[in-house]
mmCIF file of all heavy atoms in Angstrom:
data_model
loop_
_atom_site.group_PDB
_atom_site.id
_atom_site.type_symbol
_atom_site.label_atom_id
_atom_site.label_comp_id
_atom_site.label_asym_id
_atom_site.label_seq_id
_atom_site.Cartn_x
_atom_site.Cartn_y
_atom_site.Cartn_z
ATOM 1 N N TRP A 62 3.847 24.188 4.571
ATOM 2 C CA TRP A 62 4.496 24.614 3.358
ATOM 3 C C TRP A 62 5.994 24.805 3.554
ATOM 4 O O TRP A 62 6.804 24.309 2.732
ATOM 5 C CB TRP A 62 3.741 25.827 2.733
ATOM 6 C CG TRP A 62 4.363 26.259 1.468
ATOM 7 C CD1 TRP A 62 5.425 27.055 1.194
ATOM 8 C CD2 TRP A 62 3.830 25.881 0.121
ATOM 9 N NE1 TRP A 62 5.679 27.292 -0.145
ATOM 10 C CE2 TRP A 62 4.676 26.541 -0.771
ATOM 11 C CE3 TRP A 62 2.829 25.103 -0.244
ATOM 12 C CZ2 TRP A 62 4.442 26.296 -2.168
ATOM 13 C CZ3 TRP A 62 2.546 24.820 -1.570
ATOM 14 C CH2 TRP A 62 3.455 25.533 -2.591
ATOM 15 N N ASN A 69 9.448 18.563 -4.064
ATOM 16 C CA ASN A 69 8.779 17.966 -5.201
ATOM 17 C C ASN A 69 7.260 18.119 -5.206
ATOM 18 O O ASN A 69 6.489 18.417 -6.073
ATOM 19 C CB ASN A 69 9.057 16.583 -5.542
ATOM 20 C CG ASN A 69 8.487 15.577 -4.498
ATOM 21 O OD1 ASN A 69 8.603 15.816 -3.353
ATOM 22 N ND2 ASN A 69 7.868 14.526 -4.961
ATOM 23 N N GLN A 70 6.772 18.128 -3.821
ATOM 24 C CA GLN A 70 5.319 18.360 -3.693
ATOM 25 C C GLN A 70 4.982 19.801 -3.916
ATOM 26 O O GLN A 70 3.996 20.197 -4.522
ATOM 27 C CB GLN A 70 4.968 17.981 -2.235
ATOM 28 C CG GLN A 70 4.989 16.525 -1.936
ATOM 29 C CD GLN A 70 4.767 16.170 -0.475
ATOM 30 O OE1 GLN A 70 5.377 16.748 0.360
ATOM 31 N NE2 GLN A 70 3.849 15.323 -0.246
ATOM 32 N N ARG A 71 5.825 20.826 -3.404
ATOM 33 C CA ARG A 71 5.560 22.282 -3.730
ATOM 34 C C ARG A 71 5.649 22.461 -5.203
ATOM 35 O O ARG A 71 4.876 23.276 -5.723
ATOM 36 C CB ARG A 71 6.610 22.967 -2.838
ATOM 37 C CG ARG A 71 6.505 22.922 -1.414
ATOM 38 C CD ARG A 71 7.127 24.135 -0.677
ATOM 39 N NE ARG A 71 8.539 24.134 -1.014
ATOM 40 C CZ ARG A 71 9.462 23.511 -0.290
ATOM 41 N NH1 ARG A 71 9.141 22.849 0.771
ATOM 42 N NH2 ARG A 71 10.761 23.651 -0.525
ATOM 43 N N ARG A 72 6.556 21.739 -5.839
ATOM 44 C CA ARG A 72 6.710 21.980 -7.362
ATOM 45 C C ARG A 72 5.419 21.589 -8.018
ATOM 46 O O ARG A 72 4.925 22.346 -8.887
ATOM 47 C CB ARG A 72 7.951 21.205 -7.858
ATOM 48 C CG ARG A 72 8.189 21.373 -9.395
ATOM 49 C CD ARG A 72 9.484 20.721 -9.738
ATOM 50 N NE ARG A 72 9.482 19.271 -9.476
ATOM 51 C CZ ARG A 72 10.206 18.728 -8.572
ATOM 52 N NH1 ARG A 72 11.012 19.403 -7.857
ATOM 53 N NH2 ARG A 72 10.218 17.343 -8.451
ATOM 54 N N VAL A 73 4.913 20.421 -7.648
ATOM 55 C CA VAL A 73 3.722 19.939 -8.322
ATOM 56 C C VAL A 73 2.533 20.957 -8.113
ATOM 57 O O VAL A 73 1.768 21.304 -9.113
ATOM 58 C CB VAL A 73 3.292 18.583 -7.818
ATOM 59 C CG1 VAL A 73 1.891 18.154 -8.183
ATOM 60 C CG2 VAL A 73 4.288 17.505 -8.290
ATOM 61 N N ILE A 74 2.407 21.407 -6.927
ATOM 62 C CA ILE A 74 1.231 22.324 -6.628
ATOM 63 C C ILE A 74 1.436 23.670 -7.374
ATOM 64 O O ILE A 74 0.533 24.122 -7.949
ATOM 65 C CB ILE A 74 1.211 22.555 -5.115
ATOM 66 C CG1 ILE A 74 0.770 21.364 -4.396
ATOM 67 C CG2 ILE A 74 0.241 23.762 -4.733
ATOM 68 C CD1 ILE A 74 0.835 21.383 -2.853
ATOM 69 N N VAL A 75 2.683 24.165 -7.354
ATOM 70 C CA VAL A 75 2.920 25.448 -8.065
ATOM 71 C C VAL A 75 2.616 25.290 -9.615
ATOM 72 O O VAL A 75 1.984 26.101 -10.161
ATOM 73 C CB VAL A 75 4.358 25.824 -7.821
ATOM 74 C CG1 VAL A 75 4.732 26.932 -8.740
ATOM 75 C CG2 VAL A 75 4.561 26.315 -6.400
ATOM 76 N N GLU A 76 3.143 24.178 -10.249
ATOM 77 C CA GLU A 76 3.015 23.982 -11.584
ATOM 78 C C GLU A 76 1.473 23.695 -11.969
ATOM 79 O O GLU A 76 1.045 24.332 -12.891
ATOM 80 C CB GLU A 76 3.762 22.793 -12.095
ATOM 81 C CG GLU A 76 5.261 22.936 -12.076
ATOM 82 C CD GLU A 76 6.026 21.791 -12.430
ATOM 83 O OE1 GLU A 76 5.387 20.637 -12.607
ATOM 84 O OE2 GLU A 76 7.343 21.835 -12.497
ATOM 85 N N ARG A 77 0.686 22.960 -11.097
ATOM 86 C CA ARG A 77 -0.655 22.778 -11.467
ATOM 87 C C ARG A 77 -1.611 23.849 -11.062
ATOM 88 O O ARG A 77 -2.649 23.956 -11.737
ATOM 89 C CB ARG A 77 -1.107 21.496 -10.702
ATOM 90 C CG ARG A 77 -0.095 20.283 -10.938
ATOM 91 C CD ARG A 77 0.009 19.855 -12.370
ATOM 92 N NE ARG A 77 1.128 19.024 -12.557
ATOM 93 C CZ ARG A 77 1.107 17.688 -12.462
ATOM 94 N NH1 ARG A 77 0.029 17.078 -12.027
ATOM 95 N NH2 ARG A 77 2.159 16.910 -12.729
ATOM 96 N N LEU A 78 -1.141 24.813 -10.381
ATOM 97 C CA LEU A 78 -1.849 26.031 -10.053
ATOM 98 C C LEU A 78 -1.463 27.189 -11.119
ATOM 99 O O LEU A 78 -2.037 28.163 -11.064
ATOM 100 C CB LEU A 78 -1.705 26.571 -8.654
ATOM 101 C CG LEU A 78 -2.214 25.626 -7.514
ATOM 102 C CD1 LEU A 78 -2.101 26.406 -6.103
ATOM 103 C CD2 LEU A 78 -3.733 25.312 -7.777
ATOM 104 N N ALA A 79 -0.373 26.902 -11.846
ATOM 105 C CA ALA A 79 0.171 27.880 -12.909
ATOM 106 C C ALA A 79 0.514 29.213 -12.206
ATOM 107 O O ALA A 79 0.004 30.266 -12.628
ATOM 108 C CB ALA A 79 -0.862 27.996 -14.005
ATOM 109 N N THR A 80 1.165 29.089 -11.093
ATOM 110 C CA THR A 80 1.612 30.325 -10.367
ATOM 111 C C THR A 80 3.050 30.154 -9.787
ATOM 112 O O THR A 80 3.755 29.270 -10.211
ATOM 113 C CB THR A 80 0.481 30.614 -9.194
ATOM 114 O OG1 THR A 80 0.792 31.827 -8.572
ATOM 115 C CG2 THR A 80 0.460 29.454 -8.187
ATOM 116 N N ASP A 81 3.384 31.049 -8.790
ATOM 117 C CA ASP A 81 4.582 30.870 -8.108
ATOM 118 C C ASP A 81 4.445 30.430 -6.698
ATOM 119 O O ASP A 81 3.395 30.289 -6.179
ATOM 120 C CB ASP A 81 5.317 32.266 -8.114
ATOM 121 C CG ASP A 81 4.536 33.387 -7.474
ATOM 122 O OD1 ASP A 81 4.078 33.167 -6.314
ATOM 123 O OD2 ASP A 81 4.298 34.457 -8.119
ATOM 124 N N GLU A 82 5.585 30.216 -5.951
ATOM 125 C CA GLU A 82 5.531 29.604 -4.626
ATOM 126 C C GLU A 82 4.809 30.528 -3.631
ATOM 127 O O GLU A 82 4.012 30.025 -2.799
ATOM 128 C CB GLU A 82 6.913 29.290 -4.248
ATOM 129 C CG GLU A 82 7.452 28.068 -4.870
ATOM 130 C CD GLU A 82 8.345 27.193 -3.799
ATOM 131 O OE1 GLU A 82 8.292 27.517 -2.560
ATOM 132 O OE2 GLU A 82 8.952 26.248 -4.213
ATOM 133 N N ALA A 85 1.082 30.393 -4.246
ATOM 134 C CA ALA A 85 0.561 29.098 -3.955
ATOM 135 C C ALA A 85 0.430 28.943 -2.465
ATOM 136 O O ALA A 85 -0.644 28.368 -1.929
ATOM 137 C CB ALA A 85 1.428 27.924 -4.619
ATOM 138 N N ALA A 217 -5.433 27.883 -12.685
ATOM 139 C CA ALA A 217 -5.733 26.576 -12.977
ATOM 140 C C ALA A 217 -5.658 25.838 -11.812
ATOM 141 O O ALA A 217 -5.049 26.212 -10.802
ATOM 142 C CB ALA A 217 -4.832 25.970 -14.085
ATOM 143 N N MET A 218 -6.241 24.569 -11.791
ATOM 144 C CA MET A 218 -6.155 23.651 -10.613
ATOM 145 C C MET A 218 -6.672 22.305 -11.130
ATOM 146 O O MET A 218 -7.805 22.093 -11.298
ATOM 147 C CB MET A 218 -6.914 24.224 -9.400
ATOM 148 C CG MET A 218 -6.848 23.401 -8.177
ATOM 149 S SD MET A 218 -7.724 24.147 -6.816
ATOM 150 C CE MET A 218 -7.400 23.010 -5.531
ATOM 151 N N ASP A 219 -5.700 21.338 -11.261
ATOM 152 C CA ASP A 219 -6.121 20.028 -11.677
ATOM 153 C C ASP A 219 -6.248 19.138 -10.474
ATOM 154 O O ASP A 219 -6.082 19.435 -9.341
ATOM 155 C CB ASP A 219 -5.104 19.466 -12.692
ATOM 156 C CG ASP A 219 -3.771 19.077 -12.059
ATOM 157 O OD1 ASP A 219 -3.642 19.246 -10.793
ATOM 158 O OD2 ASP A 219 -2.937 18.550 -12.732
ATOM 159 N N THR A 221 -4.649 16.389 -9.595
ATOM 160 C CA THR A 221 -3.537 16.059 -8.643
ATOM 161 C C THR A 221 -3.166 17.077 -7.618
ATOM 162 O O THR A 221 -2.821 16.729 -6.442
ATOM 163 C CB THR A 221 -2.240 15.815 -9.665
ATOM 164 O OG1 THR A 221 -2.084 16.924 -10.400
ATOM 165 C CG2 THR A 221 -2.361 14.524 -10.453
ATOM 166 N N ALA A 222 -3.243 18.323 -8.017
ATOM 167 C CA ALA A 222 -2.976 19.502 -7.061
ATOM 168 C C ALA A 222 -4.110 19.403 -6.013
ATOM 169 O O ALA A 222 -3.904 19.641 -4.813
ATOM 170 C CB ALA A 222 -2.850 20.716 -7.665
ATOM 171 N N ALA A 487 2.538 10.794 -11.807
ATOM 172 C CA ALA A 487 1.956 12.148 -12.050
ATOM 173 C C ALA A 487 2.578 13.083 -11.085
ATOM 174 O O ALA A 487 2.779 14.300 -11.327
ATOM 175 C CB ALA A 487 0.426 12.031 -11.907
ATOM 176 N N TYR A 488 2.987 12.585 -9.884
ATOM 177 C CA TYR A 488 3.551 13.542 -8.844
ATOM 178 C C TYR A 488 4.964 13.597 -8.968
ATOM 179 O O TYR A 488 5.618 14.384 -8.186
ATOM 180 C CB TYR A 488 3.207 12.987 -7.380
ATOM 181 C CG TYR A 488 1.742 13.249 -7.057
ATOM 182 C CD1 TYR A 488 0.920 12.310 -6.464
ATOM 183 C CD2 TYR A 488 1.146 14.621 -7.166
ATOM 184 C CE1 TYR A 488 -0.249 12.530 -6.146
ATOM 185 C CE2 TYR A 488 -0.059 14.862 -6.748
ATOM 186 C CZ TYR A 488 -0.814 13.874 -6.229
ATOM 187 O OH TYR A 488 -2.072 14.141 -5.834
#
Side-chain angles (χ1 to χ4, degrees):
W62 181 274
N69 72 310
Q70 292 174 308
R71 294 198 299 267
R72 181 174 61 248
V73 167
I74 292 173
V75 167
E76 290 176 356
R77 308 302 165 82
L78 295 183
T80 185
D81 57 53
E82 285 220 8
M218 184 176 181
D219 72 355
T221 52
Y488 285 129

